[in-house]
Amino acid sequence: PLEEQHFFKQVMTFNPVFYRRYVDDTFALFTDRDHVDPFLAFINSVEPSIQFDVEHETNNTLSFLDINVSRVSNRLYPDISTRIKPTDRGLFYNFDSFVPSSFKNNLMSTLIFRVYNIASSYSIFHDNLQTLKTKFIKNGFPGFSFDAATNHFLSKQYERNDNIISTVKQKRVVIVLPYLGPLSVILRRKIAGLVNKFYPTADFKVIFQSGYSLRRMFSYKDKIPKKCLGGVVYYTHCEKCGP
């Protein structure tokens, strides 16, 4: 890596005591604020085509990717919470959108999982969870639906796992069906029941996709014949001059 080649092997008074990078975002800690500018000038001098800028902490808080890292006095470890970017408008698809209910449940569980894994304490997790719940309510999701998704997620985190090992290798079976509303959910339940009854060793999954739309049924643009296309290599056979 570029860091190891140029400045981690060199002993400099302004080197950071902690340094992490993800793609083009870096997070660095220094023993003295005066070390930031010399270090920035140094790394910008290494490669002219790669230039960095710097963001200082504000109110003891520094953002990195999708998290906020906050210093706490008289404590070794910081508080870590979910970051909400200024450009975030809190928009998801509406609860009344014509999509499978599993999509809505998976959206809630995914974002609950994200908040849970970022939070460094349960109090932070609770605060971030309430913020997330408010977003879902603004998108038409019932509050009890979000609470149920939260309870389901937390139950999975702390439920007893007996580690039951199956001696029969399951075969993955996946079918794709168009989503037609509640009828598709009923059909999936019936097919899954039949598969579990007569083929219990199958790992059966049903994936819904959006049904046919006018855009898929009709071409909105006339197709150009191949002979009229540009950038096409033609093959011409000439009896006198060869192919």
Side-chain angles (χ1 to χ4, degrees):
L2 185 64
E3 296 92 338
E4 295 183 0
Q5 295 179 8
H6 290 281
F7 57 82
F8 279 153
K9 290 184 177 180
Q10 303 184 39
V11 179
M12 294 178 290
T13 57
F14 49 77
N15 263 1
V17 295
F18 181 88
Y19 183 94
R20 291 293 184 272
R21 176 174 64 87
Y22 182 80
V23 189
D24 59 348
D25 290 321
T26 61
F27 184 86
L29 299 178
F30 298 84
T31 56
D32 194 322
R33 185 182 291 268
D34 294 336
H35 293 171
V36 176
D37 291 336
F39 180 77
L40 178 65
F42 172 73
I43 60 176
N44 284 336
S45 66
V46 173
E47 175 56 52
S49 61
I50 302 177
Q51 295 295 298
F52 294 84
D53 55 10
V54 63
E55 177 184 350
H56 297 277
E57 65 179 56
T58 303
N59 296 326
N60 294 333
T61 299
L62 187 62
S63 300
F64 179 62
L65 300 177
D66 57 350
I67 66 174
N68 286 325
V69 182
S70 302
R71 288 194 296 122
V72 181
S73 59
N74 301 325
R75 205 172 71 187
L76 179 61
Y77 298 101
D79 282 342
I80 301 177
S81 59
T82 302
R83 176 192 180 194
I84 300 178
K85 296 182 179 180
T87 56
D88 180 75
R89 295 295 178 263
L91 296 179
F92 311 122
Y93 47 71
N94 194 275
F95 184 78
D96 295 327
S97 299
F98 191 69
V99 295
S101 58
S102 60
F103 286 21
K104 304 170 188 176
N105 294 331
N106 290 339
L107 175 63
M108 289 187 290
S109 61
T110 298
L111 294 180
I112 293 171
F113 175 85
R114 172 174 172 263
V115 169
Y116 177 83
N117 282 274
I118 288 177
S120 58
S121 67
Y122 283 105
S123 61
I124 294 177
F125 170 63
H126 174 77
D127 293 340
N128 293 164
L129 195 65
Q130 295 305 309
T131 303
L132 183 62
K133 180 179 180 179
T134 302
K135 286 185 178 182
F136 274 102
I137 292 176
K138 289 182 178 180
N139 285 273
F141 283 70
F144 67 85
S145 178
F146 184 85
D147 292 339
T150 303
N151 293 335
H152 179 70
F153 170 79
L154 294 176
S155 296
K156 290 179 63 177
Q157 300 300 311
Y158 298 103
E159 69 182 1
R160 179 179 176 183
N161 186 5
D162 295 329
N163 295 323
I164 300 175
I165 301 176
S166 176
T167 57
V168 180
K169 184 178 180 180
Q170 290 186 317
K171 181 179 179 181
R172 173 64 63 89
V173 179
V174 180
I175 63 173
V176 181
L177 298 175
Y179 182 69
L180 304 175
L183 180 63
S184 298
V185 179
I186 296 174
L187 180 61
R188 178 181 62 179
R189 188 182 302 118
K190 290 183 177 180
I191 295 176
L194 292 174
V195 172
N196 292 334
K197 181 178 180 180
F198 297 103
Y199 195 8
T201 59
D203 181 14
F204 181 70
K205 301 290 183 184
V206 175
I207 299 176
F208 291 126
Q209 65 178 7
S210 59
Y212 287 99
S213 61
L214 292 177
R215 183 176 61 180
R216 296 178 60 182
M217 298 177 64
F218 299 97
S219 175
Y220 61 90
K221 189 175 182 179
D222 294 335
K223 294 184 178 180
I224 302 176
K226 290 185 177 180
K227 62 182 180 181
C228 297
L229 294 174
V232 179
V233 179
Y234 296 93
Y235 177 85
T236 304
H237 179 75
C238 179
E239 295 181 354
K240 296 182 179 180
C241 59

